[in-house]
Amino acid sequence: MSSLPESGPLQAATSTAVLEARNVYRFRSVDKQQVPIVRDVSLRVDAGEFVSIMGPSGSGKSTLLHLLAGLEPPTSGDVFLQGERMGGADEERLALLRRSKIGFIFQFFHLLPDLTVFENITLPLRILGKNPKKHSDRVRATMDLLSIGALGDRKPVALSGGEMQRDSIARALAAEPPLLLCDEPTGNLSSKHGEEVIALLSKVRKQLGTAILLVTHNPRDAAAADRVLFLHDGAMRAETALTGGPFDVADVFRRLQALGI
Ligand SMILES: Nc1ncnc2c1ncn2[C@@H]1O[C@H](COP(=O)(O)OP(=O)(O)OP(=O)(O)O)[C@@H](O)[C@H]1O
Ligand SMILES: [Mg+2]
């Protein structure tokens, strides 16, 4: 395992940061020009923290999540996962970091249609070379937490959108990662199912201590977090701390309006 230097600019700020980005940029080639898609983003998510990211379509939210997940490298800047600098890891180490430390949840679920719910959920364990049977008690407990305990033998085609998303949350939690990265997890759901999914993410954070980074267009979803970060044209424009009280959604709305996004 690669380790951090004792001191110096690449040392993680504190041991409680599960994710940290420092001065991250990502350029892409558009019409033969190098265009900045993510610009000088620094952020930190502590263990067990719930943080939302809001921003208009095209502001770079998904690109940023990809960089944070080590799915593509930043053009410059550093990303640390539990203190380990991802830019310093070789491909094999990076794959292991991603699989063991990060759970992903997407707008379109990405469930494998030929596998049952239980097989989908335990797939990350198989990929990590673990025997799902040895972990089946914990997996069943996670399925119960997400109210899909009775659906294990079904195929995804026989599930509602909300059930599919709960299946994908259980899959994201299979390897017991300290961090969930969620890209618009309610974007393809009815508002009722979307609210259920956000309530379940809060429950997962509370009961399992999993840190959550949630990208969303929905201020109501964003307000379930401890903090909201606002991204505009690839740059962090502002941050709002929330209280968990009834005025949080209005606060998020006000902040969006004040920023013109
Ligand atoms: N592979 C690519 N090549 C060139 N430009 C890209 C590529 N992928 C994304 N972009 C551009 O980067 C910008 C940010 O895209 P990104 O998907 O990160 O935005 P987003 O905030 O997630 O948007 P949405 O809310 O619609 O999901 C957009 O202008 C997009 O067109
Ligand atoms: Mg996106």
Side-chain angles (χ1 to χ4, degrees), residues 37-189:
I37 305 293
V38 171
R39 295 187 290 151
D40 199 19
V41 168
S42 294
L43 62 82
R44 173 182 160 152
V45 179
D46 277 340
E49 206 185 6
F50 186 168
V51 177
S52 295
I53 297 179
M54 294 201 78
S57 187
S59 58
K61 304 182 298 296
S62 296
T63 305
L64 177 61
L65 276 197
H66 278 214
L67 301 175
L68 297 176
L71 289 167
E72 55 180 309
T75 308
S76 66
D78 289 300
V79 179
F80 299 87
L81 198 53
Q82 286 192 321
E84 183 167 351
R85 191 168 68 91
M86 285 201 262
D90 61 22
E91 272 307 312
E92 198 182 338
R93 174 73 192 154
L94 202 53
L96 183 65
L97 276 175
R98 274 199 303 265
R99 288 170 187 157
S100 58
K101 295 196 186 290
I102 303 175
F104 291 96
I105 302 168
F106 305 95
Q107 182 172 350
F108 295 105
F109 322 131
H110 297 310
L111 298 171
L112 296 182
D114 294 333
L115 300 186
T116 65
V117 164
F118 186 81
E119 288 165 346
N120 265 287
I121 292 170
T122 52
L123 191 60
L125 295 173
R126 287 184 195 280
I127 292 171
L128 280 167
K130 296 182 176 178
N131 181 353
K133 282 194 186 137
K134 283 194 180 153
H135 299 268
S136 67
D137 285 353
R138 183 176 53 76
V139 170
R140 296 273 174 210
T142 305
M143 290 171 70
D144 288 341
L145 179 74
L146 296 167
S147 306
I148 51 171
L151 305 181
D153 295 332
R154 288 204 203 164
K155 295 273 176 71
V157 70
L159 302 178
S160 72
E163 287 165 347
M164 282 194 229
Q165 195 55 301
R166 283 184 270 148
D167 184 1
S168 85
I169 296 172
R171 180 185 54 187
L173 291 168
E176 300 182 274
L179 174 68
L180 286 185
L181 295 179
C182 316
D183 195 356
E184 306 269 6
T186 65
N188 201 36
L189 299 177

